[in-house]
Amino acid sequence: MKKQILKLITGIATFALGITPLMPAIQAAQPHTVTDMDGQQVKLPPKVNQVADLWHANNEVVLLLGGQKKLVATTPMIKKTPWFKTVDPQITKVKSPFAGQEIQVEELLKTKPDVVIAADPAQIKTAKEAKLPVVNAMFQDFAGLRKSIKLTAQVLGGNAPQVAKHYLKTLDYNIQLVKHNLQKVQSRPTVLHIVGPTDLTKVDGTKTIVDEWIKLAGGKNAIQKSGNMISVTSEELVKANPSVIIIGQTSTKHARQLLTKDARFKNLKAVKNHRVYGNPQGAFPWDRYSGEEALQILWAAKLLHPKQMQKVDLTEETQNFYQKYYHYHLSNQQAHAILAGEE
């Protein structure tokens, strides 16, 4: 009887040992769930291989995290962004399922995405109605940027979470460097940030990521209304009379030409003192939503307080960032062009 029991125990142990190596594989094959920026739980396949990224800015985050080969759908803007194409020439071959701003659902479905990343509520609704798993990655401040980077890394899987950790260390280091260098600064110039060259009265107010980096860089937002990309009157801008003006999505040369020729703004203090600048724009514009926000804070701080930031070499910082995260070697000339807001 004892022998039979012993044989039974031995058999059970042998069987258990035999199936143990299979257990991790079974667990690894389970779908995983992420919580998006809207607080929604989204169930994803065990491994995400195909990503439809419908938010311009997040495509740059996917690139930063090394997941660009997983992109099966992108936006027309990204396919036309010069520096994105320079770093990742294959982006021009990725499908863009849009007609204007509208998603072409049939074209999106043809790309067979494992997940859709988006920010626009209408696009999110459309993708959900098509029975696709949709992750909202939208954010408005530095805390949101950190969370969105981690979220995108979770979606991509593989090495992306590790890259995200390195990126967040870079971001935090640059923020602390600026804070340390500017800790004794007494004077804070007023800064106006204009969204782009097509409408000089569309600006960025308080409670935005733009307002955050202006403050971090030792400045004060000339616009004290809250809101991202808000419209104000030309009279309000003249009354604010900023010391420095930064215009997104254009070069410094073009920004200065625009304001000098504009009768409404040519007498502003910043224009007269030649303190008008185009915001740097790389794989995505640095001023909002971009992972290159880690470079924006260095650029802005040096722009406003060059003496305190004199040891920071922006050309070198830009080259190092592109090498580390995009695995692309920028020449000095290319880095200078990015810093001047040139495409």
Side-chain angles (χ1 to χ4, degrees):
M1 185 67 179
K2 288 183 179 179
K3 288 183 179 181
Q4 288 177 332
I5 293 172
L6 185 59
K7 282 182 181 181
L8 180 62
I9 293 171
T10 304
I12 292 170
T14 303
F15 176 74
L17 287 170
I19 66 167
T20 299
L22 298 176
M23 295 304 289
I26 292 170
Q27 290 173 352
Q30 298 301 310
H32 71 287
T33 300
V34 299
T35 303
D36 74 3
M37 299 298 287
D38 236 359
Q40 298 295 314
Q41 290 195 326
V42 185
K43 188 177 288 186
L44 302 178
K47 186 176 182 183
V48 170
N49 293 312
Q50 304 202 142
V51 177
D53 202 331
L54 308 182
W55 185 24
H56 314 299
N58 192 261
N59 280 263
E60 183 273 335
V61 174
V62 170
L63 176 67
L64 181 143
L65 297 174
Q68 67 271 26
K69 290 182 180 179
K70 295 187 177 186
L71 289 173
V72 293
T74 185
T75 71
M77 175 185 170
I78 287 298
K79 292 181 73 166
K80 294 175 184 175
T81 300
W83 290 112
F84 200 115
K85 290 192 295 182
T86 298
V87 173
D88 179 28
Q90 295 301 310
I91 195 67
T92 58
K93 298 178 182 179
V94 177
K95 299 291 183 182
S96 180
F98 286 87
Q101 297 297 316
E102 298 294 322
I103 301 174
Q104 300 300 289
V105 178
E106 289 186 6
E107 295 302 311
L108 176 61
L109 289 171
K110 284 179 185 177
T111 66
K112 298 180 180 178
D114 295 320
V115 62
V116 173
I117 300 176
D120 180 76
Q123 293 178 357
I124 291 170
K125 182 181 177 183
T126 299
K128 283 182 177 179
E129 288 173 350
K131 306 301 182 185
L132 293 170
V134 189
V135 171
N136 183 351
M138 185 64 175
F139 63 88
Q140 296 290 355
D141 52 24
F142 276 101
L145 170 62
R146 290 182 176 90
K147 188 176 176 181
S148 188
I149 291 279
K150 291 177 183 177
L151 169 63
T152 304
Q154 284 182 309
V155 170
L156 294 173
N159 293 327
Q162 194 61 32
V163 178
K165 285 183 182 179
H166 286 295
Y167 168 78
L168 293 175
K169 285 181 181 178
T170 298
L171 176 65
D172 290 337
Y173 177 83
N174 288 356
I175 288 173
Q176 292 307 315
L177 175 65
V178 167
K179 285 182 176 180
H180 175 75
N181 286 357
L182 303 186
Q183 60 185 332
K184 295 182 180 179
V185 164
Q186 299 295 322
S187 176
R188 289 178 167 264
T190 54
V191 180
L192 171 66
H193 188 270
I194 299 173
V195 175
T198 56
D199 184 354
L200 298 178
T201 58
K202 185 174 280 189
V203 301
D204 292 289
T206 59
K207 298 181 181 178
T208 63
I209 198 166
V210 172
D211 186 62
E212 282 193 81
W213 61 249
I214 287 174
K215 289 177 180 175
L216 275 171
K220 179 182 178 182
N221 198 332
I223 302 299
Q224 288 301 299
K225 286 184 177 180
S226 66
N228 187 42
M229 301 185 184
I230 57 175
S231 292
V232 294
T233 64
S234 57
E235 289 78 14
E236 286 178 281
L237 297 185
V238 170
K239 185 178 179 180
N241 198 17
S243 302
V244 176
I245 298 175
I246 299 169
I247 304 181
Q249 303 171 48
T250 193
S251 66
T252 293
K253 181 180 179 182
H254 187 223
R256 290 180 178 178
Q257 288 173 345
L258 276 176
L259 290 176
T260 302
K261 292 178 181 178
D262 195 310
R264 300 171 298 173
F265 306 126
K266 65 181 182 180
N267 291 319
L268 291 177
K269 183 165 45 177
V271 179
K272 284 187 170 183
N273 294 336
H274 309 291
R275 295 281 279 160
V276 176
Y277 307 91
N279 206 104
Q281 46 185 341
F284 196 78
W286 289 12
D287 49 5
R288 76 185 82 246
Y289 306 136
S290 172
E292 292 180 31
E293 198 76 48
L295 295 170
Q296 172 76 10
I297 51 180
L298 297 179
W299 174 81
K302 186 153 187 170
L303 184 75
L304 301 183
H305 300 284
K307 183 179 178 182
Q308 286 82 357
M309 296 293 291
Q310 61 183 329
K311 291 183 180 179
V312 176
D313 186 329
L314 290 174
T315 300
E316 185 179 333
E317 292 288 345
T318 305
Q319 288 173 318
N320 289 343
F321 187 94
Y322 271 62
Q323 185 67 54
K324 182 173 182 178
Y325 294 108
Y326 303 149
H327 311 289
Y328 184 85
H329 175 71
L330 282 178
S331 67
N332 285 353
Q333 184 178 2
Q334 287 175 315
H336 293 160
I338 288 172
L339 288 163
E342 296 170 0
E343 296 183 340

